[in-house]
């Protein structure tokens, strides 16, 4: 059961001390009295076979049977009668509290939900089909949320407390988690979970969603295969990681790929992949391994492709240097609202490395390293689109020259508030187009002409 009894004991102590006391404003129902009694009995007398069972599905089944057994024994003593539906609900609540993630487990189990946001114990939002929805689910109090956070971070060796009040982590299924607690979080312990998709999204899915056109997809695939260095730019929740995953799927299977991430979430399907993950300092403030450390070590590992999950700081300099020293075909993402803003962000991140470089020298590094920027956007109606495919053409004076190859043009809104527009080629052929022919890739002759597809 992996610490189940100790966790439940702590929860019961919290209830006895008043931490979970919700009786001051309402009467306790028969369902709640029975739930508390069953939970107490399970804590006091859990069968060893359940505790030692390693298979999670089998453990859930065994624990469910035990819950039903104890409930049938205790309900007559409490004069409580539950319908079959109530018994199912009782089992689900206790299972979620014992071996799941509490009240939000049902949101995590729903496939259509892409993100779960806990803003303190009494306000939980989730994202479904691009829209944020307020849930009626609630935690008992701050302590209840804290126990779920600790259940998330403990298995991967992370910690969260007053000295380290925020943490990045991941669930066992790969979902990405950020948690931040008081005193920094004024609403109470806050959790943001970006759910991991069990089946990787393919380029055909993005075409079907209207994120890009077939012409754009063909062009992007060719860019990856001819080993262009590409940055995926976009705001939070715009779909950068999804696009990065799809880009990586075009890398040939006979190449050695090394990924560097703060929290591992990329889903590469190739056989020869080495995954690296940074590490925060331990409780003594030692042992941290930064993204810069990972990238520097990666270059000693004979990579044919380097993929950095996201550039946030000084590691941008190491990434650019890798791109400029023979590690072409590298991929990364960054936060910015336009391709031009992405270049400015890269300049800022390079300066964060502590290197006192002239701005012109940084721009020369950027323009020499990066050939294309893919701009990903989450529009006001919740839809996600690749709004620009932009070539980095080089320097002209002190300025980096950009040229849009494809872009999205908004034309209006329909009656339901859905954004109307079209993805179209600008009619300009990129300077690196000769690389396609040199590599034996023959793109359709009209791919760079405006045959824009509307939505």
């Amino acid at each position: 059961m992996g610490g189940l009894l100790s966790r439940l004991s702590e929860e019961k102590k919290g209830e006895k001390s008043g931490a979970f006391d919700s009786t001051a404003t309402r009467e306790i129902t028969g369902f709640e009295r029975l739930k508390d009694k069953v939970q107490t009995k399970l804590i006091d007398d859990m069968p060893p076979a359940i505790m030692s069972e390693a298979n999670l599905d089998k453990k859930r089944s065994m624990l469910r049977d035990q819950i039903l057994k104890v409930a049938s024994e205790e309900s007559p003593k409490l004069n409580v009668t539950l319908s079959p539906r109530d018994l199912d609900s009782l089992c689900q609540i206790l299972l979620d509290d014992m071996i799941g993630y509490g009240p939000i487990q049902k949101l995590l189990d729903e496939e259509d939900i892409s993100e779960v946001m806990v803003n303190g114990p009494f306000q939980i939002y989730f994202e479904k089909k691009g829209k944020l929805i307020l849930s009626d689910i609630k935690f008992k109090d701050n302590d209840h949320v804290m126990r779920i956070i600790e259940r998330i971070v403990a298995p991967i060796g992370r910690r969260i407390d007053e000295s380290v009040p925020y943490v990045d982590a991941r669930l066992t299924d790969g979902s990405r988690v950020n948690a931040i607690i008081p005193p920094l979080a004024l609403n109470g312990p806050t959790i943001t979970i970006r759910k991991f998709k069990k089946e990787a999204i393919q380029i055909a899915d993005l075409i079907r969603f209207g994120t890009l056109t077939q012409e754009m997809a063909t062009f992007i695939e060719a860019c990856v295969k001819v080993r262009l260095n590409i940055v995926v730019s976009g705001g939070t929740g715009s779909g950068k990681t999804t696009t990065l995953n799809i880009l990586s799927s075009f890398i040939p299977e006979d190449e050695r790929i090394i990924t560097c991430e703060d929290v591992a979430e990329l889903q590469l399907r190739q056989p020869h992949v080495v995954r690296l993950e940074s590490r925060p300092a331990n409780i003594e403030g030692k042992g941290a391994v930064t993204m810069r450390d990972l990238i520097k070590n990666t270059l000693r590992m004979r990579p044919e492709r380097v993929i950095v999950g996201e550039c946030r700081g000084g590691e941008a300099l190491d990434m650019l240097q890798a791109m400029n020293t023979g590690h072409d075909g590298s991929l990364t993402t960054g936060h910015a609202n336009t391709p031009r803003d992405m270049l400015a962000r890269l300049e800022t991140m390079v300066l964060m490395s502590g290197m006192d470089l002239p701005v012109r020298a940084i721009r020369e590094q950027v323009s020499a390293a990066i050939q294309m920027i893919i701009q990903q956007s989450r529009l006001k109606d919740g839809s996600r689109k690749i709004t620009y495919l932009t070539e980095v053409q080089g320097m002209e004076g002190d300025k980096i020259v950009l040229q849009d190859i494809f872009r999205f043009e908004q034309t209006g809104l329909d009656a339901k508030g859905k954004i109307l527009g079209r993805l179209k080629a600008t009619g300009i052929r990129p300077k690196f187009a000769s690389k396609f022919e040199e590599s034996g890739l023959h793109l359709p002759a009209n791919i760079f002409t405006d045959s824009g597809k509307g939505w």
Side-chain angles (χ1 to χ4, degrees), residues 26 53 101 147 165 310 324:
R26 63 179 176 82
E53 178 56 54
Y101 298 109
R147 278 192 290 278
E310 182 178 341
N324 276 324

Side-chain angles (χ1 to χ4, degrees), residues 181-201:
I181 65 173
L184 301 188
L186 302 184
N187 292 349
T190 300
I191 312 171
T192 307
I193 302 176
R194 178 78 55 80
K195 285 177 59 180
F196 179 89
K197 293 190 178 298
K198 295 176 182 177
E199 293 186 5
I201 292 180

Side-chain angles (χ1 to χ4, degrees), residues 226-447:
V226 300
R227 306 181 64 88
L228 298 186
N229 293 324
I230 300 172
V231 175
V232 181
S233 167
T236 301
S238 60
K240 297 186 300 297
T241 302
T242 297
T243 298
L244 185 62
N245 268 316
I246 289 173
L247 293 178
S248 68
S249 70
F250 300 137
I251 298 174
E253 293 196 351
D254 60 351
E255 294 188 20
R256 175 173 168 84
I257 307 167
I258 302 181
T259 68
C260 302
E261 301 175 82
D262 280 322
V263 178
E265 56 182 327
L266 293 175
Q267 306 173 55
L268 274 68
R269 306 300 180 186
Q270 291 85 343
H272 196 166
V273 178
V274 179
R275 305 174 71 206
L276 306 180
E277 185 178 55
S278 63
R279 184 180 69 189
N282 60 20
I283 195 167
E284 289 85 20
K286 300 178 181 178
V289 178
T290 67
M291 186 66 77
R292 294 198 69 181
D293 297 328
L294 290 185
I295 296 174
K296 289 175 182 177
N297 191 75
T298 293
L299 304 184
R300 305 185 185 104
M301 298 171 65
R302 196 198 172 279
E304 291 180 283
R305 303 268 188 162
V306 178
I307 302 177
V308 177
E310 182 178 341
C311 281
R312 293 190 180 96
E315 67 271 9
L317 175 61
D318 303 286
M319 184 71 192
L320 292 173
Q321 289 178 333
M323 290 175 170
N324 276 324
T325 54
H327 298 91
D328 50 353
S330 296
L331 309 170
T332 190
T333 73
H335 277 83
N337 294 323
T338 68
R340 179 66 63 184
D341 288 346
M342 188 67 247
L343 297 181
R345 282 275 296 148
L346 284 169
E347 290 179 24
T348 302
M349 288 188 283
V350 169
L351 292 172
M352 291 168 66
S353 69
M355 297 291 289
D356 187 16
L357 296 172
V359 172
R360 181 178 174 83
I362 296 173
R363 290 178 180 173
E364 287 175 345
Q365 284 262 357
V366 171
S367 65
I370 299 167
Q371 283 85 51
M372 191 168 73
I373 298 173
I374 297 176
Q375 184 66 41
Q376 186 94 22
S377 299
R378 184 176 184 270
L379 305 183
K380 290 182 179 179
D381 63 355
S383 63
R384 294 173 172 86
K385 294 192 186 297
I386 291 178
T387 47
Y388 293 95
L389 293 182
T390 301
E391 179 187 16
V392 181
Q393 293 188 328
M395 294 284 292
E396 190 173 284
D398 290 333
K399 187 177 181 180
I400 299 175
V401 179
L402 298 180
Q403 178 59 60
D404 297 335
I405 308 302
F406 291 88
R407 64 169 174 256
F408 175 73
E409 290 185 351
Q410 182 174 334
T411 57
L413 298 172
D414 68 10
K416 296 181 179 179
K418 184 175 176 60
I419 289 176
L420 301 175
R422 63 177 190 157
L423 293 160
K424 54 176 284 187
T426 61
I428 297 172
R429 187 178 179 86
K431 289 185 176 180
F432 55 68
S434 60
K435 291 189 175 183
F436 301 143
E437 300 296 328
E438 294 167 3
S439 300
L441 294 175
H442 303 289
L443 300 184
N446 63 345
I447 195 169

Side-chain angles (χ1 to χ4, degrees), residues 35-152:
K35 177 179 74 68
D36 290 343
K37 186 66 174 178
V38 172
Q39 187 166 336
T40 301
K41 290 280 288 183
L42 290 170
I43 292 171
D44 295 340
D45 190 22
M46 180 67 69
I50 297 178
M51 296 178 63
S52 60
E53 178 56 54
N55 183 287
L56 184 58
D57 289 336
K58 190 173 181 181
K59 179 180 288 187
R60 287 182 71 90
S61 177
M62 295 169 67
L63 187 54
R64 180 184 175 85
D65 290 344
Q66 186 68 13
I67 291 170
L68 291 172
K69 176 177 178 294
V70 175
S72 67
E73 294 170 354
E74 296 298 324
S75 55
K77 300 176 186 177
L78 298 174
N79 197 25
V80 174
T81 302
L82 299 183
S83 67
R85 184 174 180 178
D86 288 335
L87 280 172
D88 282 342
S89 179
L90 174 69
C91 288
Q92 192 61 54
I93 290 171
L94 290 177
L95 284 169
D96 289 345
D97 265 346
M98 292 177 184
I99 55 177
Y101 298 109
I104 60 173
Q105 183 64 52
K106 63 177 69 176
L107 299 178
L108 298 175
D109 290 339
E110 192 169 331
E111 290 187 6
D112 288 346
I113 291 176
S114 57
E115 199 150 358
V116 177
M117 289 145 277
V118 178
N119 304 332
F122 309 123
Q123 189 184 70
I124 300 173
Y125 281 87
F126 60 90
E127 183 184 62
K128 190 172 186 177
K129 297 181 180 178
K131 293 291 186 181
L132 289 180
I133 301 169
L134 177 62
S135 170
D136 58 0
I137 295 169
K138 291 178 173 58
F139 284 84
K140 293 179 181 178
D141 56 17
N142 284 345
D143 289 342
H144 194 188
V145 185
M146 282 299 302
R147 278 192 290 278
I148 297 303
I149 293 175
E150 288 166 3
R151 189 176 298 173
I152 290 169

